[in-house]
Amino acid sequence: LAALVSKYVGETEKNIQGLFSATRARSVVLLLDEADALFGSRVEVKSATDKYANLEVNALLQELDAFEGILILTSNLHENIDDAFRRRLLVHVAYPVPDADMRAQLWRKLVPEEAPLADDVDFARLAKAFDLSGGYIRNAALCAAYAGIGQGRIEMAMLEKFAVEQSRAAGKLVRL
């Protein structure tokens, strides 16, 4: 994304065309992570900035229409992607927040297997208490693993502390 978007007028469109031109000569799968930043909704033109932002979207739409390869877009803000892009997508895969059983499995898998655990660690209890997606569970488990190095083991209080932090980072209310 950083290589595509430019602050100079016309450069982003040129970079987009260059990217798609480079893919036409090869058999590639193109992955654009955090696609909502590039494939955002067009806006009503009120200023020159709006006009040029819309030109970027239009350039992308034209390139997508001509693109014959596989393009994978990832986003956790799919509602911010312009409807014109969504109409061009053949497959849309949504990953819902895991249920409590899946969260418990994630906690078990994401806490390093070789890490010593205190007797009070209860992954099922963590999963029920904290409605987190896999990325947030990963962050909490990793932080707890680092904190556990100093203690010689990972304790439930550490896991809960970092789960609270990740819940707040996710914008969730936490009852203590």
Side-chain angles (χ1 to χ4, degrees):
L1 186 60
L4 287 178
V5 178
S6 174
K7 66 179 178 178
Y8 299 107
V9 173
E11 286 296 309
T12 300
E13 294 87 341
K14 186 170 90 175
N15 294 340
I16 289 167
Q17 289 169 345
L19 172 68
F20 281 91
S21 291
T23 63
R24 283 188 194 96
R26 300 174 181 92
S27 294
V28 299
V29 174
L30 187 57
L31 170 69
L32 298 175
D33 194 18
E34 302 299 343
D36 53 280
L38 191 57
F39 292 79
S41 296
R42 288 172 284 186
V43 295
E44 183 182 337
V45 177
K46 295 180 183 175
S47 69
T49 305
D50 296 338
K51 176 182 171 185
Y52 291 112
N54 286 345
L55 285 175
E56 292 172 10
V57 172
N58 293 338
L60 268 169
L61 287 168
Q62 288 175 353
E63 291 297 335
L64 283 179
D65 285 340
F67 186 65
E68 295 180 1
I70 296 173
L71 174 64
I72 300 172
L73 307 177
T74 66
S75 175
N76 56 357
L77 295 172
H78 67 279
E79 65 277 355
N80 290 353
I81 294 177
D82 192 281
D83 287 338
F85 290 117
R86 281 195 242 171
R87 284 192 301 271
R88 287 164 171 82
L89 300 176
L90 297 178
V91 178
H92 178 191
V93 180
Y95 293 95
V97 174
D99 63 15
D101 290 337
M102 179 58 74
R103 289 193 302 271
Q105 290 177 40
L106 286 167
W107 278 107
R108 277 188 202 93
K109 287 184 186 279
L110 292 170
V111 170
E113 210 174 286
E114 61 279 358
L117 298 177
D119 293 337
D120 67 341
V121 171
D122 183 347
F123 294 120
R125 194 170 92 210
L126 280 169
K128 287 178 185 169
F130 300 98
D131 185 20
L132 295 170
S133 67
Y136 288 112
I137 292 171
R138 179 196 161 279
N139 292 346
L142 188 60
C143 289
Y146 283 124
I149 291 171
Q151 299 283 339
R153 66 183 183 177
I154 298 173
E155 298 174 356
M156 186 66 171
M158 293 172 186
L159 291 164
E160 289 172 330
K161 173 188 174 197
F162 293 112
V164 166
E165 286 181 11
Q166 290 302 307
S167 294
R168 289 185 175 140
K172 297 179 182 282
L173 293 175
V174 180
R175 292 186 201 139
L176 299 176

